[in-house]
Structure formats: C-alpha cells, structure tokens
Amino acid sequence: MKAIFFELKAFVGSRAGGVVFGNSKGKGTQVDILLMAEAQIKVLDECVFWILVDGTKPVGEKRYVLFTSTEAKRVAMNGVQAGK
C-alpha cells in the first residue's frame, strides 16, 4: 500500500493574484518541499499532491486543480525562498 499526502491551498481573493506557500513568515513544510532539489521533488511527486481551490469561482464552474510539487515550484511567482 502506498501513502498519499495532499497539500491544500485555497484562494478566496484576499491576496490579489496569488496564493501564499507556508505560514505568515514564509516558512513551513510547503516551503521546505519546494526548496528541495529536483531529484528529491520528483520522488515526492509520486505521493504528495497539491490541491488548489478557487473560492472566487461560481458554483458549477471548475473550482479546483490537482498538481505535483514539481509543478508548484515551476509556477511559483519569482521563485521560492524561505521567508519570502
């Protein structure tokens, strides 16, 4: 049996154009994952999945997307760094 983990992010419009990774200080498990080397992230891509929910979309529209840590790191605005 393989373990699967989810990192859930929600966008509700409070931060225009973005979703924050980590805690209010820009630290935490999410940031740690995204700062890993590419080879390490690829291993996590087999068991860690991110879900982004867009709470600003009307009911009936697609309101979520599932993606990997590799994809999260690739699309992070201005790169990833702790405390950002």
Side-chain angles (χ1 to χ4, degrees):
M1 182 183 301
K2 178 169 113 175
I4 301 290
F5 301 92
F6 296 100
E7 289 288 343
L8 179 62
K9 302 300 298 176
F11 177 71
V12 292
S14 58
R15 181 170 182 197
V19 175
V20 177
F21 292 113
N23 62 23
S24 62
K25 296 179 182 179
K27 297 180 180 181
T29 306
Q30 294 175 343
V31 175
D32 293 343
I33 289 171
L34 298 178
L35 288 174
M36 288 180 172
E38 186 175 335
Q40 292 173 304
I41 289 180
K42 289 210 178 285
V43 171
L44 288 181
D45 284 349
E46 298 295 318
C47 61
V48 175
F49 297 93
W50 298 67
I51 302 170
L52 173 63
V53 177
D54 187 344
T56 65
K57 299 272 186 186
V59 174
E61 285 192 27
K62 185 176 178 185
R63 299 173 71 171
Y64 66 91
V65 64
L66 183 70
F67 53 100
T68 65
S69 297
T70 297
E71 293 168 314
K73 185 172 185 173
R74 182 175 46 81
V75 301
M77 294 189 311
N78 301 318
V80 178
Q81 69 183 48
K84 189 173 175 184

